[in-house]
Amino acid sequence: MPLDQTPIIDALIRIVGAANLVQQEQDKARYLTDWRKQYQGNSIAVVKPANTAEVSAILKLAEEQNIAVIPQGGNTGLCGGATPDLGEHNLVISTERMNHIREVDTSSQTITVEAGCILDHIKSAADAHDLLFPLDLGARGTCQIGGNLSTNAGGLNVIRYGNTRELTLGVEVVLMGGKVLSLLSKLKKDNTGYDLRDLFIGAEGTLGIITAATLKLFPKPIATATGFAAMRDIEAAITLLHRCQAASGGNVIAFELMPKTIIDNVRHFYPDTPLPISEIPRFSALIEIASTAEDSGKPDHDGTMPLEKTLTEVLAKAMEDGLVLDATIASNLTQRNTIWQIRELTPESEIKAGKAYKSDISIPLKHMAAFYDDAEKAATAIMPGVRIFGFGHLGDGNLHYNLSEPLEKRPDFFDYYHAFDDMMKTLVEKYEGSISAEHGIGQKKRDVFLSTKDPASLEVMRSIKAALDPKNLMNPGKVV
Ligand SMILES: Cc1cc2nc3c(=O)[nH]c(=O)nc-3n(C[C@H](O)[C@H](O)[C@H](O)COP(=O)(O)OP(=O)(O)OC[C@H]3O[C@@H](n4cnc5c(N)ncnc54)[C@H](O)[C@@H]3O)c2cc1C
């Protein structure tokens, strides 16, 4: 039966005010597609609540009227999780107005924020108190903490600080129907019953809307050393990672794999991007170590900074052992930014390269080299000339193993999507990995998730979903 939208619109206006309800097609458009513009959907309107009470009233209305609700933060997710389907019973809830920092507690070293706070703003608020909120990803200027929590985002510094789940002490959540669950806690220890907080982290908006969170803060590093190394191969890069961890006392904060294909692609679209070293081999590694110890900020008697010395010694020994072919270490902030520039430009350059199959896999490090080579052989067999853009957070065993169309354009590229998907699924299973390391499931990976997750786990997930959202109105068609 066609939906009579008028009473719903009127009720929403009573909750948030007309100014906070987006109804015009051209204004709604950016909320109805994802960052990569791969998915498209419909929504009665886009509603922008200002606080938890308004979210609660909207979810009460949604349950009464059988409206599906799609929570949306910064809309930078890469799996179509924040995009509605094409149905007419959808309502996108944008958290962009819920952007207040509720409290910075320097004694507990926590920050309590509303779900719509942009990640970069949280980082700046922590910085203003000389503390660090370490979650960091390329979308930091746009993504919101509610989205980060709901995808359990990873990013560049997981190797040292963990992913979003590990950075979170408490959450506040509104359930379908409007009930508010106050799980905001500053406690590191709390063994009172089931851990409800962790249910909502990584749930991609399918169990409720996160409205606020209490996050952990850390001492700010006093010194950082950043290096770029041309590697013999992936196994050499893994050995280098372990050596860096040992030499720095476990203080590697980033360890990124950069294949030549990616570096060439970035320089193709951004030719002014400087190369950190002159000869780029098949694989390079971007390494960053940091320390909060006061002495790390003081130069040695010969003028060298201690962390730079540590990294230089590790790299020199690795060169002697044939693991590293060439390397450079940044000696100031400009050089550090130069080293990071290629990595930061990678996602944009990939989009410019044309059609692509994207993945976000994690593989035990002992299998990473074999996985990389097997996947390259298999992908090239499916489509000769396909470009292998397998890069990313090697330190966490997580690569974005993306396949870009050959230089000679392939209008039929997406006809091979399922073949690439099957190949990836088979190899991830063979090497005991995961099909989603940090981006989530959304709509994009739902089929492969449902066909690979073990049936007992799926059954438990479905029971939880049915208990919290019996009418299946919370972000339907995503995850389970
Ligand atoms: C250039 C670029 C680089 C990136 N790099 C990384 C990276 O290194 N690591 C990484 O993990 N990701 C990365 N991403 C992906 C993306 O930024 C993350 O998934 C991010 O956490 C999404 O946040 P968002 O606010 O944009 O969420 P959205 O895209 O708006 O939503 C993502 C999911 O969360 C749900 N959701 C949003 N807000 C709420 C809420 N308040 N309550 C309940 N559910 C909610 C949505 O329904 C959807 O399912 C990158 C993306 C881009 C564009």
PDB file of all heavy atoms in Angstrom, residues 35 71-78 81-82 95 115 137-139 143-144 146-148 150-151 153-156 204-205 208-210 347 393 438-439 475, ligand 1:
ATOM      1  N   TRP A  35      29.732   7.312  -0.336  1.00  0.00           N
ATOM      2  CA  TRP A  35      30.928   8.086  -0.681  1.00  0.00           C
ATOM      3  C   TRP A  35      31.425   7.746  -2.082  1.00  0.00           C
ATOM      4  O   TRP A  35      31.841   8.607  -2.830  1.00  0.00           O
ATOM      5  CB  TRP A  35      32.025   7.801   0.367  1.00  0.00           C
ATOM      6  CG  TRP A  35      33.197   8.719   0.268  1.00  0.00           C
ATOM      7  CD1 TRP A  35      33.242  10.022   0.639  1.00  0.00           C
ATOM      8  CD2 TRP A  35      34.495   8.401  -0.244  1.00  0.00           C
ATOM      9  NE1 TRP A  35      34.495  10.538   0.398  1.00  0.00           N
ATOM     10  CE2 TRP A  35      35.291   9.574  -0.138  1.00  0.00           C
ATOM     11  CE3 TRP A  35      35.079   7.250  -0.771  1.00  0.00           C
ATOM     12  CZ2 TRP A  35      36.623   9.616  -0.535  1.00  0.00           C
ATOM     13  CZ3 TRP A  35      36.404   7.304  -1.169  1.00  0.00           C
ATOM     14  CH2 TRP A  35      37.164   8.473  -1.053  1.00  0.00           C
ATOM     15  N   PRO A  71      20.555   5.093  10.129  1.00  0.00           N
ATOM     16  CA  PRO A  71      21.401   6.098  10.771  1.00  0.00           C
ATOM     17  C   PRO A  71      22.538   6.494   9.826  1.00  0.00           C
ATOM     18  O   PRO A  71      23.081   5.650   9.119  1.00  0.00           O
ATOM     19  CB  PRO A  71      21.973   5.371  11.995  1.00  0.00           C
ATOM     20  CG  PRO A  71      21.292   4.055  12.078  1.00  0.00           C
ATOM     21  CD  PRO A  71      20.713   3.761  10.744  1.00  0.00           C
ATOM     22  N   GLN A  72      22.859   7.773   9.839  1.00  0.00           N
ATOM     23  CA  GLN A  72      23.958   8.233   8.983  1.00  0.00           C
ATOM     24  C   GLN A  72      24.813   9.237   9.742  1.00  0.00           C
ATOM     25  O   GLN A  72      24.300  10.164  10.364  1.00  0.00           O
ATOM     26  CB  GLN A  72      23.400   8.865   7.706  1.00  0.00           C
ATOM     27  CG  GLN A  72      24.464   9.077   6.655  1.00  0.00           C
ATOM     28  CD  GLN A  72      23.904   9.570   5.325  1.00  0.00           C
ATOM     29  OE1 GLN A  72      23.978  10.753   5.033  1.00  0.00           O
ATOM     30  NE2 GLN A  72      23.326   8.672   4.531  1.00  0.00           N
ATOM     31  N   GLY A  73      26.129   9.014   9.669  1.00  0.00           N
ATOM     32  CA  GLY A  73      27.064   9.956  10.271  1.00  0.00           C
ATOM     33  C   GLY A  73      27.671  10.816   9.167  1.00  0.00           C
ATOM     34  O   GLY A  73      26.978  11.557   8.473  1.00  0.00           O
ATOM     35  N   GLY A  74      28.976  10.660   8.955  1.00  0.00           N
ATOM     36  CA  GLY A  74      29.658  11.459   7.927  1.00  0.00           C
ATOM     37  C   GLY A  74      29.478  10.917   6.517  1.00  0.00           C
ATOM     38  O   GLY A  74      29.923  11.522   5.547  1.00  0.00           O
ATOM     39  N   ASN A  75      28.848   9.743   6.405  1.00  0.00           N
ATOM     40  CA  ASN A  75      28.599   9.086   5.115  1.00  0.00           C
ATOM     41  C   ASN A  75      29.900   8.820   4.350  1.00  0.00           C
ATOM     42  O   ASN A  75      29.941   8.964   3.135  1.00  0.00           O
ATOM     43  CB  ASN A  75      27.630   9.931   4.267  1.00  0.00           C
ATOM     44  CG  ASN A  75      26.935   9.097   3.202  1.00  0.00           C
ATOM     45  OD1 ASN A  75      26.967   7.855   3.252  1.00  0.00           O
ATOM     46  ND2 ASN A  75      26.322   9.753   2.231  1.00  0.00           N
ATOM     47  N   THR A  76      30.939   8.431   5.068  1.00  0.00           N
ATOM     48  CA  THR A  76      32.196   8.052   4.407  1.00  0.00           C
ATOM     49  C   THR A  76      32.396   6.540   4.408  1.00  0.00           C
ATOM     50  O   THR A  76      33.437   6.060   3.964  1.00  0.00           O
ATOM     51  CB  THR A  76      33.419   8.691   5.106  1.00  0.00           C
ATOM     52  OG1 THR A  76      33.536   8.127   6.432  1.00  0.00           O
ATOM     53  CG2 THR A  76      33.290  10.200   5.198  1.00  0.00           C
ATOM     54  N   GLY A  77      31.426   5.799   4.923  1.00  0.00           N
ATOM     55  CA  GLY A  77      31.535   4.335   4.983  1.00  0.00           C
ATOM     56  C   GLY A  77      31.724   3.762   3.584  1.00  0.00           C
ATOM     57  O   GLY A  77      31.238   4.318   2.594  1.00  0.00           O
ATOM     58  N   LEU A  78      32.421   2.622   3.520  1.00  0.00           N
ATOM     59  CA  LEU A  78      32.786   2.093   2.209  1.00  0.00           C
ATOM     60  C   LEU A  78      32.029   0.824   1.855  1.00  0.00           C
ATOM     61  O   LEU A  78      32.393   0.125   0.919  1.00  0.00           O
ATOM     62  CB  LEU A  78      34.311   1.858   2.173  1.00  0.00           C
ATOM     63  CG  LEU A  78      35.143   3.135   2.402  1.00  0.00           C
ATOM     64  CD1 LEU A  78      36.637   2.818   2.490  1.00  0.00           C
ATOM     65  CD2 LEU A  78      34.892   4.168   1.299  1.00  0.00           C
ATOM     66  N   GLY A  81      26.608   0.988   4.041  1.00  0.00           N
ATOM     67  CA  GLY A  81      25.826   0.775   5.261  1.00  0.00           C
ATOM     68  C   GLY A  81      24.906   1.937   5.606  1.00  0.00           C
ATOM     69  O   GLY A  81      23.878   1.748   6.253  1.00  0.00           O
ATOM     70  N   ALA A  82      25.262   3.148   5.183  1.00  0.00           N
ATOM     71  CA  ALA A  82      24.469   4.322   5.559  1.00  0.00           C
ATOM     72  C   ALA A  82      23.517   4.753   4.439  1.00  0.00           C
ATOM     73  O   ALA A  82      22.860   5.791   4.547  1.00  0.00           O
ATOM     74  CB  ALA A  82      25.400   5.485   5.918  1.00  0.00           C
ATOM     75  N   THR A  95      23.088  12.410  12.107  1.00  0.00           N
ATOM     76  CA  THR A  95      23.474  12.863  13.457  1.00  0.00           C
ATOM     77  C   THR A  95      24.293  14.156  13.410  1.00  0.00           C
ATOM     78  O   THR A  95      24.877  14.548  14.414  1.00  0.00           O
ATOM     79  CB  THR A  95      24.281  11.758  14.178  1.00  0.00           C
ATOM     80  OG1 THR A  95      25.278  11.276  13.278  1.00  0.00           O
ATOM     81  CG2 THR A  95      23.408  10.633  14.642  1.00  0.00           C
ATOM     82  N   ALA A 115      27.315  11.679  19.234  1.00  0.00           N
ATOM     83  CA  ALA A 115      27.627  10.796  18.104  1.00  0.00           C
ATOM     84  C   ALA A 115      28.019  11.542  16.830  1.00  0.00           C
ATOM     85  O   ALA A 115      28.765  11.031  15.999  1.00  0.00           O
ATOM     86  CB  ALA A 115      26.424   9.910  17.801  1.00  0.00           C
ATOM     87  N   LEU A 137      42.125   8.131  10.598  1.00  0.00           N
ATOM     88  CA  LEU A 137      41.896   7.572   9.265  1.00  0.00           C
ATOM     89  C   LEU A 137      41.756   8.697   8.256  1.00  0.00           C
ATOM     90  O   LEU A 137      41.548   9.854   8.634  1.00  0.00           O
ATOM     91  CB  LEU A 137      40.672   6.635   9.222  1.00  0.00           C
ATOM     92  CG  LEU A 137      39.430   6.977  10.000  1.00  0.00           C
ATOM     93  CD1 LEU A 137      38.217   6.708   9.146  1.00  0.00           C
ATOM     94  CD2 LEU A 137      39.383   6.078  11.214  1.00  0.00           C
ATOM     95  N   GLY A 138      41.891   8.327   6.980  1.00  0.00           N
ATOM     96  CA  GLY A 138      41.885   9.338   5.922  1.00  0.00           C
ATOM     97  C   GLY A 138      40.645  10.221   5.933  1.00  0.00           C
ATOM     98  O   GLY A 138      40.698  11.385   5.540  1.00  0.00           O
ATOM     99  N   ALA A 139      39.515   9.675   6.418  1.00  0.00           N
ATOM    100  CA  ALA A 139      38.254  10.434   6.399  1.00  0.00           C
ATOM    101  C   ALA A 139      38.076  11.259   7.673  1.00  0.00           C
ATOM    102  O   ALA A 139      36.970  11.712   7.972  1.00  0.00           O
ATOM    103  CB  ALA A 139      37.088   9.462   6.227  1.00  0.00           C
ATOM    104  N   CYS A 143      34.246  11.986   8.777  1.00  0.00           N
ATOM    105  CA  CYS A 143      33.539  10.893   9.474  1.00  0.00           C
ATOM    106  C   CYS A 143      33.211  11.327  10.903  1.00  0.00           C
ATOM    107  O   CYS A 143      33.871  12.190  11.468  1.00  0.00           O
ATOM    108  CB  CYS A 143      34.359   9.608   9.461  1.00  0.00           C
ATOM    109  SG  CYS A 143      35.924   9.700  10.346  1.00  0.00           S
ATOM    110  N   GLN A 144      32.153  10.742  11.443  1.00  0.00           N
ATOM    111  CA  GLN A 144      31.702  11.092  12.793  1.00  0.00           C
ATOM    112  C   GLN A 144      31.924   9.903  13.729  1.00  0.00           C
ATOM    113  O   GLN A 144      31.919   8.750  13.291  1.00  0.00           O
ATOM    114  CB  GLN A 144      30.211  11.459  12.762  1.00  0.00           C
ATOM    115  CG  GLN A 144      29.912  12.644  11.857  1.00  0.00           C
ATOM    116  CD  GLN A 144      28.417  12.917  11.726  1.00  0.00           C
ATOM    117  OE1 GLN A 144      27.592  12.321  12.414  1.00  0.00           O
ATOM    118  NE2 GLN A 144      28.065  13.819  10.817  1.00  0.00           N
ATOM    119  N   GLY A 146      30.002   8.475  15.768  1.00  0.00           N
ATOM    120  CA  GLY A 146      28.925   7.470  15.740  1.00  0.00           C
ATOM    121  C   GLY A 146      29.163   6.463  14.628  1.00  0.00           C
ATOM    122  O   GLY A 146      28.953   5.254  14.795  1.00  0.00           O
ATOM    123  N   GLY A 147      29.615   6.956  13.476  1.00  0.00           N
ATOM    124  CA  GLY A 147      29.952   6.073  12.352  1.00  0.00           C
ATOM    125  C   GLY A 147      31.189   5.242  12.665  1.00  0.00           C
ATOM    126  O   GLY A 147      31.253   4.051  12.354  1.00  0.00           O
ATOM    127  N   ASN A 148      32.175   5.871  13.297  1.00  0.00           N
ATOM    128  CA  ASN A 148      33.398   5.130  13.671  1.00  0.00           C
ATOM    129  C   ASN A 148      33.057   3.985  14.626  1.00  0.00           C
ATOM    130  O   ASN A 148      33.559   2.873  14.477  1.00  0.00           O
ATOM    131  CB  ASN A 148      34.408   6.051  14.371  1.00  0.00           C
ATOM    132  CG  ASN A 148      34.857   7.228  13.526  1.00  0.00           C
ATOM    133  OD1 ASN A 148      35.119   8.304  14.054  1.00  0.00           O
ATOM    134  ND2 ASN A 148      34.930   7.065  12.215  1.00  0.00           N
ATOM    135  N   SER A 150      30.098   2.563  14.986  1.00  0.00           N
ATOM    136  CA  SER A 150      29.190   1.592  14.367  1.00  0.00           C
ATOM    137  C   SER A 150      29.890   0.704  13.352  1.00  0.00           C
ATOM    138  O   SER A 150      29.414  -0.384  13.046  1.00  0.00           O
ATOM    139  CB  SER A 150      28.015   2.325  13.708  1.00  0.00           C
ATOM    140  OG  SER A 150      27.354   3.070  14.701  1.00  0.00           O
ATOM    141  N   THR A 151      31.021   1.179  12.820  1.00  0.00           N
ATOM    142  CA  THR A 151      31.809   0.315  11.920  1.00  0.00           C
ATOM    143  C   THR A 151      33.000  -0.297  12.648  1.00  0.00           C
ATOM    144  O   THR A 151      33.782  -1.025  12.044  1.00  0.00           O
ATOM    145  CB  THR A 151      32.351   1.125  10.716  1.00  0.00           C
ATOM    146  OG1 THR A 151      33.079   2.261  11.213  1.00  0.00           O
ATOM    147  CG2 THR A 151      31.234   1.603   9.806  1.00  0.00           C
ATOM    148  N   ALA A 153      35.711   1.266  13.452  1.00  0.00           N
ATOM    149  CA  ALA A 153      36.750   1.691  12.510  1.00  0.00           C
ATOM    150  C   ALA A 153      38.150   1.392  13.044  1.00  0.00           C
ATOM    151  O   ALA A 153      38.381   1.370  14.255  1.00  0.00           O
ATOM    152  CB  ALA A 153      36.596   3.186  12.239  1.00  0.00           C
ATOM    153  N   GLY A 154      39.033   1.159  12.096  1.00  0.00           N
ATOM    154  CA  GLY A 154      40.431   0.854  12.447  1.00  0.00           C
ATOM    155  C   GLY A 154      41.320   2.044  12.131  1.00  0.00           C
ATOM    156  O   GLY A 154      41.386   2.993  12.883  1.00  0.00           O
ATOM    157  N   GLY A 155      41.983   1.979  10.983  1.00  0.00           N
ATOM    158  CA  GLY A 155      42.793   3.118  10.556  1.00  0.00           C
ATOM    159  C   GLY A 155      44.277   2.920  10.791  1.00  0.00           C
ATOM    160  O   GLY A 155      44.770   1.795  10.883  1.00  0.00           O
ATOM    161  N   LEU A 156      44.965   4.060  10.923  1.00  0.00           N
ATOM    162  CA  LEU A 156      46.421   4.055  10.792  1.00  0.00           C
ATOM    163  C   LEU A 156      47.165   3.647  12.063  1.00  0.00           C
ATOM    164  O   LEU A 156      48.302   3.199  11.985  1.00  0.00           O
ATOM    165  CB  LEU A 156      46.888   5.457  10.358  1.00  0.00           C
ATOM    166  CG  LEU A 156      46.318   5.890   9.005  1.00  0.00           C
ATOM    167  CD1 LEU A 156      46.470   7.393   8.800  1.00  0.00           C
ATOM    168  CD2 LEU A 156      47.006   5.126   7.878  1.00  0.00           C
ATOM    169  N   GLU A 204      26.794  -1.476  12.917  1.00  0.00           N
ATOM    170  CA  GLU A 204      26.417  -0.751  11.690  1.00  0.00           C
ATOM    171  C   GLU A 204      24.968  -0.252  11.730  1.00  0.00           C
ATOM    172  O   GLU A 204      24.255  -0.294  10.714  1.00  0.00           O
ATOM    173  CB  GLU A 204      26.683  -1.607  10.453  1.00  0.00           C
ATOM    174  CG  GLU A 204      28.160  -2.006  10.343  1.00  0.00           C
ATOM    175  CD  GLU A 204      28.484  -2.816   9.117  1.00  0.00           C
ATOM    176  OE1 GLU A 204      28.177  -2.362   8.009  1.00  0.00           O
ATOM    177  OE2 GLU A 204      29.048  -3.926   9.275  1.00  0.00           O
ATOM    178  N   GLY A 205      24.531   0.166  12.898  1.00  0.00           N
ATOM    179  CA  GLY A 205      23.201   0.766  13.011  1.00  0.00           C
ATOM    180  C   GLY A 205      22.057  -0.219  12.896  1.00  0.00           C
ATOM    181  O   GLY A 205      20.914   0.193  12.736  1.00  0.00           O
ATOM    182  N   GLY A 208      20.487  -0.280  16.982  1.00  0.00           N
ATOM    183  CA  GLY A 208      20.065   0.944  17.666  1.00  0.00           C
ATOM    184  C   GLY A 208      20.893   2.107  17.167  1.00  0.00           C
ATOM    185  O   GLY A 208      21.805   1.917  16.347  1.00  0.00           O
ATOM    186  N   ILE A 209      20.563   3.303  17.651  1.00  0.00           N
ATOM    187  CA  ILE A 209      21.343   4.481  17.246  1.00  0.00           C
ATOM    188  C   ILE A 209      22.225   4.905  18.414  1.00  0.00           C
ATOM    189  O   ILE A 209      21.722   5.170  19.522  1.00  0.00           O
ATOM    190  CB  ILE A 209      20.432   5.644  16.816  1.00  0.00           C
ATOM    191  CG1 ILE A 209      19.626   5.213  15.578  1.00  0.00           C
ATOM    192  CG2 ILE A 209      21.242   6.901  16.548  1.00  0.00           C
ATOM    193  CD1 ILE A 209      18.978   6.336  14.819  1.00  0.00           C
ATOM    194  N   ILE A 210      23.516   4.939  18.185  1.00  0.00           N
ATOM    195  CA  ILE A 210      24.443   5.424  19.207  1.00  0.00           C
ATOM    196  C   ILE A 210      24.314   6.942  19.232  1.00  0.00           C
ATOM    197  O   ILE A 210      24.408   7.607  18.187  1.00  0.00           O
ATOM    198  CB  ILE A 210      25.893   5.009  18.878  1.00  0.00           C
ATOM    199  CG1 ILE A 210      26.011   3.483  18.896  1.00  0.00           C
ATOM    200  CG2 ILE A 210      26.875   5.651  19.854  1.00  0.00           C
ATOM    201  CD1 ILE A 210      27.364   2.947  18.441  1.00  0.00           C
ATOM    202  N   PRO A 347      43.621   6.839  -1.576  1.00  0.00           N
ATOM    203  CA  PRO A 347      42.206   6.588  -1.895  1.00  0.00           C
ATOM    204  C   PRO A 347      41.685   7.437  -3.058  1.00  0.00           C
ATOM    205  O   PRO A 347      41.008   6.913  -3.945  1.00  0.00           O
ATOM    206  CB  PRO A 347      41.477   6.943  -0.592  1.00  0.00           C
ATOM    207  CG  PRO A 347      42.497   6.860   0.489  1.00  0.00           C
ATOM    208  CD  PRO A 347      43.800   7.219  -0.149  1.00  0.00           C
ATOM    209  N   HIS A 393      47.358  -1.421   6.056  1.00  0.00           N
ATOM    210  CA  HIS A 393      47.823  -1.555   7.430  1.00  0.00           C
ATOM    211  C   HIS A 393      48.480  -2.913   7.679  1.00  0.00           C
ATOM    212  O   HIS A 393      47.956  -3.733   8.450  1.00  0.00           O
ATOM    213  CB  HIS A 393      46.647  -1.347   8.381  1.00  0.00           C
ATOM    214  CG  HIS A 393      45.699  -0.237   7.959  1.00  0.00           C
ATOM    215  ND1 HIS A 393      46.115   1.048   7.709  1.00  0.00           N
ATOM    216  CD2 HIS A 393      44.354  -0.224   7.718  1.00  0.00           C
ATOM    217  CE1 HIS A 393      45.069   1.809   7.365  1.00  0.00           C
ATOM    218  NE2 HIS A 393      43.988   1.047   7.345  1.00  0.00           N
ATOM    219  N   GLU A 438      37.994  -3.869   8.756  1.00  0.00           N
ATOM    220  CA  GLU A 438      37.658  -2.620   9.448  1.00  0.00           C
ATOM    221  C   GLU A 438      36.516  -1.837   8.805  1.00  0.00           C
ATOM    222  O   GLU A 438      36.028  -0.895   9.399  1.00  0.00           O
ATOM    223  CB  GLU A 438      38.898  -1.721   9.559  1.00  0.00           C
ATOM    224  CG  GLU A 438      39.525  -1.368   8.214  1.00  0.00           C
ATOM    225  CD  GLU A 438      40.691  -0.383   8.318  1.00  0.00           C
ATOM    226  OE1 GLU A 438      41.175  -0.135   9.425  1.00  0.00           O
ATOM    227  OE2 GLU A 438      41.101   0.139   7.258  1.00  0.00           O
ATOM    228  N   HIS A 439      36.084  -2.186   7.620  1.00  0.00           N
ATOM    229  CA  HIS A 439      35.043  -1.380   6.962  1.00  0.00           C
ATOM    230  C   HIS A 439      33.632  -1.854   7.278  1.00  0.00           C
ATOM    231  O   HIS A 439      32.672  -1.146   7.023  1.00  0.00           O
ATOM    232  CB  HIS A 439      35.238  -1.377   5.432  1.00  0.00           C
ATOM    233  CG  HIS A 439      36.462  -0.624   5.007  1.00  0.00           C
ATOM    234  ND1 HIS A 439      36.991  -0.723   3.744  1.00  0.00           N
ATOM    235  CD2 HIS A 439      37.257   0.244   5.681  1.00  0.00           C
ATOM    236  CE1 HIS A 439      38.064   0.056   3.668  1.00  0.00           C
ATOM    237  NE2 HIS A 439      38.248   0.645   4.828  1.00  0.00           N
ATOM    238  N   ASN A 475      17.970  -0.140  10.182  1.00  0.00           N
ATOM    239  CA  ASN A 475      18.881  -0.331   9.049  1.00  0.00           C
ATOM    240  C   ASN A 475      18.731  -1.704   8.377  1.00  0.00           C
ATOM    241  O   ASN A 475      19.702  -2.473   8.267  1.00  0.00           O
ATOM    242  CB  ASN A 475      20.341  -0.108   9.512  1.00  0.00           C
ATOM    243  CG  ASN A 475      21.176   0.506   8.401  1.00  0.00           C
ATOM    244  OD1 ASN A 475      20.670   0.800   7.309  1.00  0.00           O
ATOM    245  ND2 ASN A 475      22.452   0.702   8.658  1.00  0.00           N
TER     246      ASN A 475
HETATM  247  C1  LIG B   1      39.317   8.494   2.280  1.00  0.00           C
HETATM  248  C2  LIG B   1      38.774   7.455   3.218  1.00  0.00           C
HETATM  249  C3  LIG B   1      39.659   6.752   4.033  1.00  0.00           C
HETATM  250  C4  LIG B   1      39.172   5.791   4.934  1.00  0.00           C
HETATM  251  N1  LIG B   1      40.055   5.115   5.715  1.00  0.00           N
HETATM  252  C5  LIG B   1      39.592   4.221   6.613  1.00  0.00           C
HETATM  253  C6  LIG B   1      40.499   3.520   7.477  1.00  0.00           C
HETATM  254  O1  LIG B   1      41.717   3.672   7.408  1.00  0.00           O
HETATM  255  N2  LIG B   1      39.964   2.679   8.378  1.00  0.00           N
HETATM  256  C7  LIG B   1      38.615   2.469   8.492  1.00  0.00           C
HETATM  257  O2  LIG B   1      38.190   1.707   9.350  1.00  0.00           O
HETATM  258  N3  LIG B   1      37.744   3.083   7.656  1.00  0.00           N
HETATM  259  C8  LIG B   1      38.199   3.948   6.739  1.00  0.00           C
HETATM  260  N4  LIG B   1      37.313   4.588   5.912  1.00  0.00           N
HETATM  261  C9  LIG B   1      35.863   4.253   5.970  1.00  0.00           C
HETATM  262  C10 LIG B   1      35.014   5.198   6.852  1.00  0.00           C
HETATM  263  O3  LIG B   1      35.605   6.459   7.007  1.00  0.00           O
HETATM  264  C11 LIG B   1      34.766   4.563   8.211  1.00  0.00           C
HETATM  265  O4  LIG B   1      34.009   3.389   8.053  1.00  0.00           O
HETATM  266  C12 LIG B   1      34.050   5.484   9.210  1.00  0.00           C
HETATM  267  O5  LIG B   1      34.081   4.879  10.483  1.00  0.00           O
HETATM  268  C13 LIG B   1      32.611   5.806   8.822  1.00  0.00           C
HETATM  269  O6  LIG B   1      32.160   6.893   9.610  1.00  0.00           O
HETATM  270  P1  LIG B   1      30.939   7.799   9.097  1.00  0.00           P
HETATM  271  O7  LIG B   1      30.595   8.772  10.168  1.00  0.00           O
HETATM  272  O8  LIG B   1      31.247   8.358   7.778  1.00  0.00           O
HETATM  273  O9  LIG B   1      29.802   6.696   9.018  1.00  0.00           O
HETATM  274  P2  LIG B   1      28.655   6.492   7.911  1.00  0.00           P
HETATM  275  O10 LIG B   1      29.269   6.192   6.595  1.00  0.00           O
HETATM  276  O11 LIG B   1      27.698   7.605   7.962  1.00  0.00           O
HETATM  277  O12 LIG B   1      27.960   5.173   8.475  1.00  0.00           O
HETATM  278  C14 LIG B   1      28.649   3.951   8.549  1.00  0.00           C
HETATM  279  C15 LIG B   1      27.744   2.913   9.215  1.00  0.00           C
HETATM  280  O13 LIG B   1      27.494   3.271  10.568  1.00  0.00           O
HETATM  281  C16 LIG B   1      26.083   3.476  10.782  1.00  0.00           C
HETATM  282  N5  LIG B   1      25.970   4.626  11.678  1.00  0.00           N
HETATM  283  C17 LIG B   1      26.442   5.880  11.491  1.00  0.00           C
HETATM  284  N6  LIG B   1      26.214   6.635  12.576  1.00  0.00           N
HETATM  285  C18 LIG B   1      25.568   5.846  13.460  1.00  0.00           C
HETATM  286  C19 LIG B   1      25.055   6.034  14.769  1.00  0.00           C
HETATM  287  N7  LIG B   1      25.171   7.204  15.418  1.00  0.00           N
HETATM  288  N8  LIG B   1      24.446   4.995  15.386  1.00  0.00           N
HETATM  289  C20 LIG B   1      24.311   3.806  14.774  1.00  0.00           C
HETATM  290  N9  LIG B   1      24.772   3.570  13.531  1.00  0.00           N
HETATM  291  C21 LIG B   1      25.403   4.569  12.894  1.00  0.00           C
HETATM  292  C22 LIG B   1      25.488   3.677   9.413  1.00  0.00           C
HETATM  293  O14 LIG B   1      24.125   3.293   9.378  1.00  0.00           O
HETATM  294  C23 LIG B   1      26.380   2.792   8.566  1.00  0.00           C
HETATM  295  O15 LIG B   1      25.945   1.458   8.672  1.00  0.00           O
HETATM  296  C24 LIG B   1      37.778   5.535   4.997  1.00  0.00           C
HETATM  297  C25 LIG B   1      36.893   6.234   4.167  1.00  0.00           C
HETATM  298  C26 LIG B   1      37.378   7.173   3.292  1.00  0.00           C
HETATM  299  C27 LIG B   1      36.404   7.916   2.437  1.00  0.00           C
END
